[in-house]
C-alpha cells in the first residue's frame, strides 16, 4: 500500500472510497476524453469534514487537487495535469433541504442537474438554468457559470446561486452568501467563486434560488431562406418586449445532421435556417399575446412561416433535433466544440465570418446555438485528417475565429469555461493586466498553487 | 502653493479642478455629515487618463485615495480617514452611448441615477435598479451594489452591470466584462468590483443592461390591523407567482411621521400597518390577473382591505409618504439608518425582536422597507440624548440587533454597504476566515493599501 493511500485512509474511513491503483481514464479526463492527466489517488468524499481534511493534508504536503463533478466538461477543467488527488464529488449528491418559504434548495455539489430539476418541478418549483448536459453536476455548473438555452429570459447559473460553502486550499471552511436576497456586506466571495473552475476553492454545499414553475410553455419554429436573414431578425424579435425564454438558431445543413442521427424529419425541408423559440409564463393569454407580436415582427422581417407548435410529438421532435446536434456532429467526425460569446448584435457578423473562413480554409464548421444571447456554438469538424494535419488546421482556424470574436467585442467562453483547451485563445484575447490580476487573486486563495493548477488564467 | 498642488497640476491642466485649500466638509464626509475625515486635495478628473495618472502618482508616493460620487452614502464610505486625495467624479457624468441593439447604455461613473433613468425612459427603455436616493451616482450604486424597491422583481445593481472600466491602484486601466450577455472566461473581476466600496479600484466607465420600459404599472395598498399579520402575509403573497415589482411595509406610527411631514393623509387611518405593492408589465390583463390572485391571498390572510390605486393623486401621495420616511424621521430627531437583510421568512421574527427591544431598551426604533426581500430599514432614534448617552445606547442596541439578525441567517447590509459606520457589526457577524480572505484579495489589488483605506473589511 502506498504512503498516500495510507495517509488518505486515515481521513477516509471507508477504503472503497479511495483509489490509488489502476485509476481509470474517466477520472483523469473530461467527457471528450482527448486530454488525459495522471493522478496518484481518486477520493470520493461524503461530507464537508472529509473534504476539509483532505485539503489540509494536500496543503501540508503541497499535493495538487483536481475537483470533479460528473466530468461532463468540454475544456479539460477536470484533467489533473500535475498528478496528485482527484476529488470526485459523485457521492456528495444529496438534496439537503427544500425551503419553500425562501424559495431556496440546498444541495451537495455532486447533485445532478437532472435530479435537481426533477425534484423541484415535482414540487411546483423551477430551477431555470438549463445547460444542455443534464447529467452535469450543480458544483460543475457553478464552477463554469453554466448557461444554457433559457438564459435569454432567466439568466445563467450565477443568477441562481444564493450561497456557497467552500473549502479553501488549506482546509478552511467558509460560508459565502446564504438565503438572503440582497447582500452589500463586504467583497462578494460567492461571486468570485462562481465560474472560477475549481481554481480557488472546492464547493461542498450550494444554496440555490428557485422560482415558481411556469404553468404554460409554447415552442415556435420559424423557417428562413437564409441564416443571415434569420440571425438579423433575432434583434427585431428581442425588441418586441415579448420575454422569450429561449431563442436558438440552427442552419439547415446542421439540422439535417440531427434529423439523420435521430431519423426524424422537421417541417420546411427547403428552409436554409431555423429560429426556434420558447415562451413560458403563468398566464396563457399574456404568453400568446407575446407570441403574436413576435410573429408579426418575424413575418415582416423575412420569415417563411411561423409555426406555433401545438402537436406535442412535433414539439418533442424539434427539441430532440436541437438537443442532439453535438452528438449528431460527433457521429460523423471528431469535433472541437467552441462556445464563443459576442454582443447579440454581432452574432450575424460572427457567423458570416465563420462561413467565409470555412470556404477559405477548407475546414468544415457547423454553427448553432443561443441566438438570443450571442453565445454561438461552433463545431470544427476533423473529418479524415490525421493527427498532425488536424492539429495544424485546428490551431489555424481557432486562432482566426478567436481573434475575430475578440475584435467584435466577444469573449472566448460564454458557458463552457476555459480549462486547458481554451487557454491559448483566452490568453491571446485577454489583456495581460487582467491575467496578472487573476493570478494575484488566486495567490490570495492558494499560495501553494495546489487547487486545480494549470487551468484557465494560470501561467 | 503646496508640493501636492504643484504635482497634481501637472496631471490636471485646469487648476479649477484641484482644491488643496479650504476643503469644504462635504468632500470629506457622507450625506449624514457625522463622520468627517481630512484630505490634502480634492481633484475632479474628467477622463480615464487623468484618473489613471492620479492613481499612478498616488501609488508612487503611497498617498491614500478616496473616490466619491455624489456622497449620498450613509455609512462613511466616502470619508477619507487617512488624508490624501479625494477623487470626485461629479465631472465625469456623461452618458456616452445608448446601444439599442444590445440594450446597453455606457455611462461615466459620476452620472446621476435620476439622469440615467430619465434618459433611458424617454427612449422607451428602463434601468430597473431603483435605490431610494435618485441623486446618487451610478459609480456609487455599483460600489455598494445598491438595491431599492424594485429588487423583488428585477434584482439589484449587480444584475444590470454588463461591463466596467476600472483603474487599479497603480494606475493600470482594466476592462472587465463588456456588452456580452454570458461570460465564463476566467475569474469574474467585474463581479468582484461590484459592491467593493472603492477598496479595490476606481471605476471610470460602466456598461449597463437595460430592458424595454414596462407599459403598465399599478400600485396596491393593503392595510392590516397588525404589522405581524402584514409581514406574515407577505410570504403568502410572494407565493402567488404574481411577479410583483415591489413589496414594501410601513407601520402606522411610521406612516404617521411621513403624513405629518408632508401634510398628506393616507386612507385607513385605523390600520396598524400597510403593505404597499407595485406590479408592472407590458400586458394589462396579465398584470391585473396577477393582482387579482394577490388580492384573494391577502384577504384570506387577514388584510383589512385591498386598495388598487386608480386615482393618480392617491398613488402619488402613497409613494410620497413611503419615499419621505427617512426625512420625516430626521425632521423629528437624528437617527441611525440600518439596512439589515434577513431571509424573507425571518423578516417577521426580526421585526418582532426589534419591537421587543424597543420596549425593553427605551430606545425608539422605527422600521419599514423592503418586505419582499427581507431588507429591513430601521431608524434608531436619538431623541434628546446627549452625545455620550446616545453613543452608549446606540452601541448597546446595535450590538443586539446585529447579533439577532446574524442568528436569523441575515447580513449586516443589504444595500448601503459597510463603510466605516457598520464595520464593528460587520466584523462581529463575519467569520474571521472570510475577513482574512477579503484582506488578502485586497492585497492582490492594492499592496500599498491606498484605495479607500480603513473601510469595510479592513483591519
Amino acid at each position: 500500500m502506498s504512503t498516500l493511500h495510507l495517509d488518505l485512509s486515515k481521513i477516509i474511513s471507508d477504503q472503497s472510497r479511495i483509489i490509488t491503483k489502476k485509476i481509470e481514464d474517466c477520472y483523469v479526463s473530461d467527457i471528450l476524453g482527448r486530454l488525459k492527466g495522471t493522478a496518484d489517488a481518486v477520493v470520493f468524499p461524503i461530507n464537508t469534514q472529509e473534504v476539509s481534511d483532505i485539503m489540509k493534508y494536500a496543503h501540508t504536503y503541497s499535493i495538487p487537487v483536481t475537483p470533479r463533478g460528473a466530468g461532463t466538461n468540454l475544456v479539460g477543467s477536470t484533467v489533473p495535469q500535475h498528478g496528485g488527488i482527484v476529488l470526485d464529488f459523485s457521492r456528495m449528491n444529496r438534496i439537503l433541504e427544500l425551503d419553500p418559504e425562501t424559495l431556496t434548495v440546498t444541495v451537495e455539489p455532486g447533485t445532478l442537474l437532472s435530479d435537481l430539476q426533477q425534484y423541484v418541478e415535482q414540487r411546483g418549483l423551477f430551477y431555470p438554468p438549463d445547460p444542455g448536459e443534464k447529467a452535469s453536476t450543480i458544483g460543475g455548473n457553478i464552477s463554469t457559470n453554466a448557461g444554457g438555452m433559457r438564459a435569454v429570459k432567466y439568466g445563467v447559473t450565477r443568477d441562481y446561486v444564493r450561497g456557497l460553502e467552500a473549502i479553501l486550499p488549506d482546509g478552511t471552511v467558509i460560508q459565502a452568501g446564504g438565503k438572503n436576497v440582497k447582500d452589500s456586506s463586504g467583497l462578494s466571495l460567492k461571486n468570485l467563486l462562481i465560474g472560477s473552475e475549481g481554481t480557488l476553492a472546492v464547493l461542498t454545499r450550494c444554496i440555490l434560488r428557485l422560482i415558481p414553475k411556469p404553468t404554460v410553455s409554447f415552442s415556435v419554429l420559424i423557417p428562413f431562406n437564409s441564416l443571415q436573414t434569420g440571425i438579423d431578425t433575432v434583434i427585431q424579435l428581442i425588441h418586441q418586449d415579448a420575454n422569450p425564454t429561449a431563442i436558438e438558431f440552427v442552419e439547415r445543413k446542421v439540422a439535417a445532421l440531427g434529423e439523420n442521427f435521430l431519423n426524424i424529419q422537421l417541417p420546411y425541408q427547403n428552409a436554409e435556417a431555423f429560429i426556434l423559440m420558447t415562451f413560458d409564463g403563468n398566464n396563457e393569454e399574456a404568453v400568446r399575446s407575446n407570441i403574436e407580436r413576435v410573429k408579426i415582427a418575424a413575418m415582416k422581417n423575412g420569415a417563411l412561416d411561423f409555426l406555433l407548435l401545438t402537436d406535442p410529438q412535433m414539439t418533442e421532435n424539434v427539441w430532440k433535433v436541437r438537443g442532439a446536434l453535438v452528438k449528431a456532429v460527433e457521429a460523423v467526425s471528431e469535433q472541437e466544440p467552441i462556445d464563443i460569446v459576442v454582443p447579440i448584435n454581432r452574432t450575424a457578423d460572427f457567423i458570416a465570418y465563420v462561413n467565409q473562413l470555412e470556404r477559405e480554409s477548407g475546414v468544415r464548421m457547423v454553427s448553432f446555438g443561443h441566438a438570443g444571447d450571442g453565445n454561438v456554438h461552433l463545431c470544427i469538424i476533423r473529418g479524415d485528417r490525421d493527427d498532425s494535419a488536424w492539429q495544424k488546421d485546428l490551431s489555424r482556424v481557432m486562432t482566426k475565429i478567436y481573434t475575430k470574436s475578440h475584435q467584435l467585442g466577444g469573449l472566448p467562453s460564454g458557458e463552457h469555461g476555459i480549462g486547458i483547451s481554451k487557454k491559448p485563445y483566452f490568453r491571446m484575447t485577454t489583456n495581460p493586466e487582467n491575467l496578472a490580476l487573476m493570478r494575484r487573486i488566486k495567490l490570495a486563495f492558494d499560495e501553494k498553487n495546489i487547487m486545480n493548477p494549470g487551468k484557465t488564467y494560470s501561467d
Side-chain angles (χ1 to χ4, degrees), chain A residues 380-393:
Chain A
I380 304 181
I381 314 268
R382 175 166 177 167
D384 54 9
R385 285 171 179 80
D386 64 24
D387 275 351
S388 120
W390 172 229
Q391 289 311 325
K392 209 180 108 195
D393 282 349

Side-chain angles (χ1 to χ4, degrees), chain A residues 158-417:
Chain A
R158 182 183 299 282
D159 302 307
Y160 294 86
V161 180
R162 283 256 190 268
L164 293 173
E165 179 181 81
I167 315 296
L168 301 186
D170 67 358
T172 303
V173 185
I174 65 161
Q175 312 292 332
K179 289 187 178 177
N180 299 290
V181 175
K182 289 177 174 170
D183 181 358
S184 295
S185 307
L187 300 182
S188 184
L189 301 177
K190 177 186 83 177
N191 272 290
L192 187 55
L193 291 172
I194 297 168
S196 65
E197 298 186 48
T199 62
L200 301 181
V202 196
L203 306 180
T204 46
R205 194 169 287 207
C206 319
I207 305 175
L208 306 171
R209 169 191 166 210
L210 304 172
I211 63 170
K213 189 179 169 190
T215 51
V216 293
S217 177
F218 294 101
S219 291
V220 164
L221 185 70
I222 319 173
F224 288 89
N225 60 16
S226 85
L227 180 63
Q228 197 69 32
T229 316
I231 296 287
D232 284 345
T233 302
V234 167
I235 296 275
Q236 304 308 320
L237 305 187
I238 287 174
H239 287 192
Q240 297 313 308
D241 189 14
N243 213 6
T245 309
I247 312 178
E248 298 288 305
F249 75 95
V250 189
E251 281 188 90
R252 173 72 253 164
K253 62 182 184 182
V254 187
L257 291 173
E259 289 176 320
N260 290 339
F261 184 71
L262 295 169
N263 201 17
I264 283 174
Q265 233 187 14
L266 297 187
Y268 274 92
Q269 288 287 315
N270 60 329
E272 275 305 302
F274 297 103
I275 299 289
L276 188 52
M277 298 180 76
T278 53
F279 297 83
D280 66 11
N282 66 7
N283 182 309
E284 179 165 343
E285 266 178 81
V287 174
R288 280 186 185 273
S289 141
N290 284 339
I291 294 174
E292 198 50 40
R293 280 203 310 288
V294 170
K295 179 178 181 174
I296 292 166
M299 297 310 292
K300 216 164 78 182
N301 283 276
L304 298 174
D305 201 349
F306 187 93
L307 302 173
L308 178 61
L309 303 175
T310 47
D311 173 29
Q313 185 60 51
M314 169 76 85
T315 312
E316 194 189 324
N317 282 351
V318 167
W319 285 107
K320 254 192 183 164
V321 169
R322 167 62 189 91
L325 291 181
V326 173
K327 287 204 172 73
V329 168
E330 286 174 346
V332 177
S333 162
E334 188 185 325
Q335 59 101 13
E336 176 70 32
I338 286 178
D339 73 313
I340 278 171
V341 62
V342 292
I344 47 172
N345 61 339
R346 311 313 297 269
T347 314
D349 297 340
F350 180 63
I351 292 170
Y353 177 79
V354 168
N355 286 337
Q356 180 199 327
L357 182 63
E358 185 177 23
R359 287 191 298 274
E360 287 172 11
S361 67
V363 179
R364 192 170 165 210
M365 289 177 251
V366 298
S367 59
F368 56 90
H370 313 315
D373 53 31
N375 191 196
V376 178
H377 286 300
L378 201 65
C379 299
I380 304 181
I381 314 268
R382 175 166 177 167
D384 54 9
R385 285 171 179 80
D386 64 24
D387 275 351
S388 120
W390 172 229
Q391 289 311 325
K392 209 180 108 195
D393 282 349
L394 186 60
S395 156
R396 190 162 48 92
V397 296
M398 296 251 279
T399 302
K400 289 192 173 173
I401 287 169
Y402 283 98
T403 303
K404 183 66 182 182
S405 64
H406 181 58
Q407 285 164 357
L408 295 172
L411 291 167
S413 173
E415 51 187 25
H416 294 170

Side-chain angles (χ1 to χ4, degrees), chain A residues 127 129 131 138 141-142 145-147 155-161 194 208:
Chain A
Y127 177 70
I138 294 301
N141 287 187
I142 293 171
N145 189 24
V156 296
T157 302
R158 182 183 299 282
D159 302 307
Y160 294 86
V161 180
I194 297 168
L208 306 171

